mmCIF file of all heavy atoms in Angstrom:
data_model
loop_
_atom_site.group_PDB
_atom_site.id
_atom_site.type_symbol
_atom_site.label_atom_id
_atom_site.label_comp_id
_atom_site.label_asym_id
_atom_site.label_seq_id
_atom_site.Cartn_x
_atom_site.Cartn_y
_atom_site.Cartn_z
ATOM 1 N N LEU B 13 -15.758 7.339 19.127
ATOM 2 C CA LEU B 13 -14.659 6.433 19.455
ATOM 3 C C LEU B 13 -15.157 4.987 19.465
ATOM 4 O O LEU B 13 -14.510 4.094 18.923
ATOM 5 C CB LEU B 13 -14.041 6.808 20.812
ATOM 6 C CG LEU B 13 -12.851 5.951 21.276
ATOM 7 C CD1 LEU B 13 -11.699 5.983 20.275
ATOM 8 C CD2 LEU B 13 -12.360 6.406 22.646
ATOM 9 N N ASP B 14 -16.321 4.775 20.053
ATOM 10 C CA ASP B 14 -16.881 3.419 20.088
ATOM 11 C C ASP B 14 -17.329 2.948 18.711
ATOM 12 O O ASP B 14 -17.118 1.805 18.329
ATOM 13 C CB ASP B 14 -18.077 3.364 21.047
ATOM 14 C CG ASP B 14 -17.614 3.376 22.496
ATOM 15 O OD1 ASP B 14 -16.485 2.886 22.745
ATOM 16 O OD2 ASP B 14 -18.346 3.884 23.356
ATOM 17 N N ASN B 15 -17.936 3.854 17.968
ATOM 18 C CA ASN B 15 -18.497 3.442 16.675
ATOM 19 C C ASN B 15 -17.463 3.321 15.562
ATOM 20 O O ASN B 15 -17.568 2.448 14.713
ATOM 21 C CB ASN B 15 -19.572 4.431 16.225
ATOM 22 C CG ASN B 15 -20.840 4.302 17.037
ATOM 23 O OD1 ASN B 15 -21.105 3.245 17.605
ATOM 24 N ND2 ASN B 15 -21.609 5.365 17.128
ATOM 25 N N TYR B 16 -16.519 4.232 15.552
ATOM 26 C CA TYR B 16 -15.604 4.291 14.409
ATOM 27 C C TYR B 16 -14.130 4.091 14.762
ATOM 28 O O TYR B 16 -13.293 4.003 13.869
ATOM 29 C CB TYR B 16 -15.755 5.641 13.689
ATOM 30 C CG TYR B 16 -17.174 5.963 13.316
ATOM 31 C CD1 TYR B 16 -17.834 7.055 13.890
ATOM 32 C CD2 TYR B 16 -17.877 5.172 12.412
ATOM 33 C CE1 TYR B 16 -19.145 7.352 13.556
ATOM 34 C CE2 TYR B 16 -19.187 5.464 12.079
ATOM 35 C CZ TYR B 16 -19.818 6.552 12.652
ATOM 36 O OH TYR B 16 -21.114 6.846 12.326
ATOM 37 N N GLY B 17 -13.828 4.059 16.058
ATOM 38 C CA GLY B 17 -12.426 3.972 16.486
ATOM 39 C C GLY B 17 -11.682 2.802 15.861
ATOM 40 O O GLY B 17 -10.599 2.973 15.299
ATOM 41 N N ASP B 18 -12.273 1.613 15.920
ATOM 42 C CA ASP B 18 -11.598 0.423 15.393
ATOM 43 C C ASP B 18 -11.432 0.499 13.882
ATOM 44 O O ASP B 18 -10.390 0.143 13.342
ATOM 45 C CB ASP B 18 -12.384 -0.839 15.757
ATOM 46 C CG ASP B 18 -12.365 -1.096 17.258
ATOM 47 O OD1 ASP B 18 -11.318 -0.848 17.882
ATOM 48 O OD2 ASP B 18 -13.403 -1.510 17.799
ATOM 49 N N MET B 19 -12.463 0.974 13.218
ATOM 50 C CA MET B 19 -12.409 1.081 11.760
ATOM 51 C C MET B 19 -11.300 2.054 11.341
ATOM 52 O O MET B 19 -10.493 1.761 10.454
ATOM 53 C CB MET B 19 -13.793 1.537 11.262
ATOM 54 C CG MET B 19 -13.961 1.753 9.795
ATOM 55 S SD MET B 19 -13.446 3.380 9.204
ATOM 56 C CE MET B 19 -14.704 4.444 9.925
ATOM 57 N N LEU B 20 -11.245 3.197 12.013
ATOM 58 C CA LEU B 20 -10.212 4.192 11.691
ATOM 59 C C LEU B 20 -8.817 3.638 12.016
ATOM 60 O O LEU B 20 -7.863 3.856 11.268
ATOM 61 C CB LEU B 20 -10.450 5.487 12.477
ATOM 62 C CG LEU B 20 -11.724 6.276 12.114
ATOM 63 C CD1 LEU B 20 -11.961 7.398 13.132
ATOM 64 C CD2 LEU B 20 -11.632 6.861 10.711
ATOM 65 N N TYR B 21 -8.742 2.902 13.109
ATOM 66 C CA TYR B 21 -7.464 2.333 13.526
ATOM 67 C C TYR B 21 -6.932 1.355 12.468
ATOM 68 O O TYR B 21 -5.769 1.421 12.058
ATOM 69 C CB TYR B 21 -7.648 1.619 14.868
ATOM 70 C CG TYR B 21 -6.427 0.896 15.367
ATOM 71 C CD1 TYR B 21 -5.268 1.601 15.696
ATOM 72 C CD2 TYR B 21 -6.432 -0.486 15.529
ATOM 73 C CE1 TYR B 21 -4.141 0.936 16.167
ATOM 74 C CE2 TYR B 21 -5.312 -1.145 16.003
ATOM 75 C CZ TYR B 21 -4.180 -0.444 16.317
ATOM 76 O OH TYR B 21 -3.067 -1.106 16.778
ATOM 77 N N ARG B 22 -7.810 0.484 11.992
ATOM 78 C CA ARG B 22 -7.389 -0.481 10.963
ATOM 79 C C ARG B 22 -6.967 0.221 9.687
ATOM 80 O O ARG B 22 -5.994 -0.141 9.048
ATOM 81 C CB ARG B 22 -8.519 -1.470 10.667
ATOM 82 C CG ARG B 22 -8.740 -2.478 11.766
ATOM 83 C CD ARG B 22 -9.692 -3.568 11.318
ATOM 84 N NE ARG B 22 -11.060 -3.102 11.251
ATOM 85 C CZ ARG B 22 -11.952 -3.277 12.221
ATOM 86 N NH1 ARG B 22 -11.613 -3.918 13.312
ATOM 87 N NH2 ARG B 22 -13.172 -2.816 12.096
ATOM 88 N N PHE B 23 -7.737 1.240 9.330
ATOM 89 C CA PHE B 23 -7.432 2.009 8.117
ATOM 90 C C PHE B 23 -6.024 2.607 8.217
ATOM 91 O O PHE B 23 -5.247 2.561 7.265
ATOM 92 C CB PHE B 23 -8.476 3.123 7.943
ATOM 93 C CG PHE B 23 -8.393 3.841 6.632
ATOM 94 C CD1 PHE B 23 -9.194 3.461 5.566
ATOM 95 C CD2 PHE B 23 -7.515 4.914 6.456
ATOM 96 C CE1 PHE B 23 -9.130 4.131 4.343
ATOM 97 C CE2 PHE B 23 -7.438 5.583 5.241
ATOM 98 C CZ PHE B 23 -8.252 5.192 4.189
ATOM 99 N N ALA B 24 -5.727 3.172 9.403
ATOM 100 C CA ALA B 24 -4.423 3.801 9.587
ATOM 101 C C ALA B 24 -3.315 2.751 9.693
ATOM 102 O O ALA B 24 -2.245 2.896 9.097
ATOM 103 C CB ALA B 24 -4.432 4.676 10.840
ATOM 104 N N LEU B 25 -3.586 1.676 10.410
ATOM 105 C CA LEU B 25 -2.549 0.681 10.693
ATOM 106 C C LEU B 25 -1.987 0.044 9.423
ATOM 107 O O LEU B 25 -0.777 -0.122 9.288
ATOM 108 C CB LEU B 25 -3.103 -0.406 11.624
ATOM 109 C CG LEU B 25 -2.094 -1.442 12.109
ATOM 110 C CD1 LEU B 25 -0.987 -0.790 12.936
ATOM 111 C CD2 LEU B 25 -2.777 -2.537 12.917
ATOM 112 N N VAL B 26 -2.860 -0.291 8.491
ATOM 113 C CA VAL B 26 -2.378 -0.939 7.277
ATOM 114 C C VAL B 26 -1.481 0.012 6.485
ATOM 115 O O VAL B 26 -0.556 -0.419 5.800
ATOM 116 C CB VAL B 26 -3.547 -1.469 6.417
ATOM 117 C CG1 VAL B 26 -4.508 -0.388 6.051
ATOM 118 C CG2 VAL B 26 -3.051 -2.164 5.185
ATOM 119 N N ARG B 27 -1.718 1.307 6.625
ATOM 120 C CA ARG B 27 -0.937 2.273 5.856
ATOM 121 C C ARG B 27 0.350 2.720 6.551
ATOM 122 O O ARG B 27 1.359 2.918 5.895
ATOM 123 C CB ARG B 27 -1.805 3.480 5.513
ATOM 124 C CG ARG B 27 -2.846 3.131 4.449
ATOM 125 C CD ARG B 27 -4.037 4.055 4.443
ATOM 126 N NE ARG B 27 -4.954 3.737 3.365
ATOM 127 C CZ ARG B 27 -5.890 2.793 3.441
ATOM 128 N NH1 ARG B 27 -6.026 2.070 4.544
ATOM 129 N NH2 ARG B 27 -6.685 2.545 2.415
ATOM 130 N N VAL B 28 0.287 2.913 7.868
ATOM 131 C CA VAL B 28 1.494 3.417 8.539
ATOM 132 C C VAL B 28 2.307 2.315 9.211
ATOM 133 O O VAL B 28 3.446 2.532 9.610
ATOM 134 C CB VAL B 28 1.181 4.541 9.565
ATOM 135 C CG1 VAL B 28 0.504 5.716 8.866
ATOM 136 C CG2 VAL B 28 0.308 4.027 10.699
ATOM 137 N N ARG B 29 1.732 1.119 9.329
ATOM 138 C CA ARG B 29 2.429 -0.059 9.847
ATOM 139 C C ARG B 29 3.081 0.152 11.216
ATOM 140 O O ARG B 29 4.137 -0.373 11.495
ATOM 141 C CB ARG B 29 3.474 -0.536 8.825
ATOM 142 C CG ARG B 29 2.828 -1.108 7.576
ATOM 143 C CD ARG B 29 3.843 -1.618 6.591
ATOM 144 N NE ARG B 29 4.651 -0.546 6.064
ATOM 145 C CZ ARG B 29 5.946 -0.652 5.793
ATOM 146 N NH1 ARG B 29 6.585 -1.768 6.002
ATOM 147 N NH2 ARG B 29 6.611 0.370 5.295
ATOM 148 N N SER B 30 2.457 0.972 12.032
ATOM 149 C CA SER B 30 2.947 1.138 13.409
ATOM 150 C C SER B 30 1.723 1.350 14.294
ATOM 151 O O SER B 30 0.909 2.243 14.032
ATOM 152 C CB SER B 30 3.880 2.348 13.500
ATOM 153 O OG SER B 30 3.774 2.977 14.765
ATOM 154 N N GLU B 31 1.588 0.496 15.326
ATOM 155 C CA GLU B 31 0.411 0.585 16.183
ATOM 156 C C GLU B 31 0.336 1.942 16.880
ATOM 157 O O GLU B 31 -0.721 2.577 16.921
ATOM 158 C CB GLU B 31 0.428 -0.551 17.209
ATOM 159 C CG GLU B 31 0.190 -1.908 16.553
ATOM 160 C CD GLU B 31 0.375 -3.076 17.507
ATOM 161 O OE1 GLU B 31 0.563 -2.849 18.716
ATOM 162 O OE2 GLU B 31 0.326 -4.226 17.019
ATOM 163 N N ALA B 32 1.485 2.388 17.405
ATOM 164 C CA ALA B 32 1.496 3.651 18.146
ATOM 165 C C ALA B 32 1.094 4.819 17.240
ATOM 166 O O ALA B 32 0.280 5.669 17.622
ATOM 167 C CB ALA B 32 2.882 3.884 18.742
ATOM 168 N N THR B 33 1.673 4.834 16.027
ATOM 169 C CA THR B 33 1.349 5.920 15.102
ATOM 170 C C THR B 33 -0.119 5.860 14.704
ATOM 171 O O THR B 33 -0.798 6.891 14.641
ATOM 172 C CB THR B 33 2.228 5.828 13.827
ATOM 173 O OG1 THR B 33 3.588 5.731 14.218
ATOM 174 C CG2 THR B 33 2.033 7.029 12.932
ATOM 175 N N ALA B 34 -0.626 4.654 14.464
ATOM 176 C CA ALA B 34 -2.034 4.505 14.067
ATOM 177 C C ALA B 34 -2.951 5.005 15.184
ATOM 178 O O ALA B 34 -3.951 5.687 14.930
ATOM 179 C CB ALA B 34 -2.335 3.049 13.721
ATOM 180 N N GLU B 35 -2.596 4.698 16.428
ATOM 181 C CA GLU B 35 -3.412 5.167 17.560
ATOM 182 C C GLU B 35 -3.420 6.696 17.620
ATOM 183 O O GLU B 35 -4.466 7.318 17.815
ATOM 184 C CB GLU B 35 -2.862 4.598 18.880
ATOM 185 C CG GLU B 35 -3.132 3.104 19.027
ATOM 186 C CD GLU B 35 -2.329 2.464 20.166
ATOM 187 O OE1 GLU B 35 -1.663 3.207 20.919
ATOM 188 O OE2 GLU B 35 -2.393 1.222 20.285
ATOM 189 N N ASP B 36 -2.234 7.286 17.445
ATOM 190 C CA ASP B 36 -2.158 8.755 17.449
ATOM 191 C C ASP B 36 -3.006 9.360 16.344
ATOM 192 O O ASP B 36 -3.663 10.390 16.530
ATOM 193 C CB ASP B 36 -0.696 9.218 17.260
ATOM 194 C CG ASP B 36 0.144 8.959 18.504
ATOM 195 O OD1 ASP B 36 -0.464 8.654 19.562
ATOM 196 O OD2 ASP B 36 1.376 9.048 18.416
ATOM 197 N N LEU B 37 -2.983 8.725 15.189
ATOM 198 C CA LEU B 37 -3.743 9.259 14.055
ATOM 199 C C LEU B 37 -5.242 9.181 14.315
ATOM 200 O O LEU B 37 -5.990 10.083 13.935
ATOM 201 C CB LEU B 37 -3.377 8.499 12.768
ATOM 202 C CG LEU B 37 -1.990 8.833 12.186
ATOM 203 C CD1 LEU B 37 -1.579 7.820 11.126
ATOM 204 C CD2 LEU B 37 -1.991 10.236 11.582
ATOM 205 N N VAL B 38 -5.684 8.117 14.970
ATOM 206 C CA VAL B 38 -7.107 8.002 15.322
ATOM 207 C C VAL B 38 -7.483 9.143 16.262
ATOM 208 O O VAL B 38 -8.493 9.835 16.067
ATOM 209 C CB VAL B 38 -7.411 6.641 15.992
ATOM 210 C CG1 VAL B 38 -8.836 6.615 16.536
ATOM 211 C CG2 VAL B 38 -7.194 5.498 15.004
ATOM 212 N N GLN B 39 -6.631 9.351 17.244
ATOM 213 C CA GLN B 39 -6.889 10.420 18.206
ATOM 214 C C GLN B 39 -6.952 11.791 17.518
ATOM 215 O O GLN B 39 -7.893 12.559 17.731
ATOM 216 C CB GLN B 39 -5.764 10.408 19.250
ATOM 217 C CG GLN B 39 -5.885 11.476 20.305
ATOM 218 C CD GLN B 39 -4.744 11.359 21.303
ATOM 219 O OE1 GLN B 39 -4.567 10.319 21.925
ATOM 220 N NE2 GLN B 39 -3.970 12.417 21.442
ATOM 221 N N ASP B 40 -5.970 12.075 16.687
ATOM 222 C CA ASP B 40 -5.942 13.365 15.984
ATOM 223 C C ASP B 40 -7.162 13.540 15.088
ATOM 224 O O ASP B 40 -7.705 14.631 14.950
ATOM 225 C CB ASP B 40 -4.680 13.469 15.116
ATOM 226 C CG ASP B 40 -3.421 13.557 15.962
ATOM 227 O OD1 ASP B 40 -3.561 13.714 17.193
ATOM 228 O OD2 ASP B 40 -2.316 13.450 15.400
ATOM 229 N N THR B 41 -7.572 12.426 14.463
ATOM 230 C CA THR B 41 -8.723 12.485 13.559
ATOM 231 C C THR B 41 -9.998 12.807 14.333
ATOM 232 O O THR B 41 -10.791 13.660 13.917
ATOM 233 C CB THR B 41 -8.876 11.135 12.823
ATOM 234 O OG1 THR B 41 -7.700 10.912 12.046
ATOM 235 C CG2 THR B 41 -10.091 11.135 11.912
ATOM 236 N N LEU B 42 -10.176 12.132 15.471
ATOM 237 C CA LEU B 42 -11.391 12.375 16.259
ATOM 238 C C LEU B 42 -11.400 13.804 16.803
ATOM 239 O O LEU B 42 -12.432 14.484 16.770
ATOM 240 C CB LEU B 42 -11.494 11.349 17.390
ATOM 241 C CG LEU B 42 -11.748 9.908 16.936
ATOM 242 C CD1 LEU B 42 -11.739 8.953 18.120
ATOM 243 C CD2 LEU B 42 -13.075 9.793 16.176
ATOM 244 N N LEU B 43 -10.242 14.268 17.264
ATOM 245 C CA LEU B 43 -10.162 15.645 17.766
ATOM 246 C C LEU B 43 -10.500 16.645 16.657
ATOM 247 O O LEU B 43 -11.293 17.555 16.855
ATOM 248 C CB LEU B 43 -8.754 15.935 18.305
ATOM 249 C CG LEU B 43 -8.424 15.362 19.686
ATOM 250 C CD1 LEU B 43 -6.944 15.543 20.011
ATOM 251 C CD2 LEU B 43 -9.278 16.028 20.761
ATOM 252 N N ALA B 44 -9.896 16.414 15.497
ATOM 253 C CA ALA B 44 -10.149 17.323 14.378
ATOM 254 C C ALA B 44 -11.615 17.256 13.961
ATOM 255 O O ALA B 44 -12.238 18.276 13.647
ATOM 256 C CB ALA B 44 -9.241 16.969 13.200
#
Side-chain angles (χ1 to χ4, degrees):
Chain B
L13 181 58
D14 285 331
N15 287 336
Y16 307 115
D18 293 322
M19 178 276 291
L20 294 170
Y21 176 64
R22 287 190 286 263
F23 189 95
L25 185 62
V26 57
R27 288 158 176 84
V28 301
R29 291 182 294 143
S30 147
E31 291 173 7
T33 308
E35 288 167 7
D36 288 347
L37 286 167
V38 172
Q39 179 179 302
D40 292 351
T41 298
L42 292 176
L43 283 172

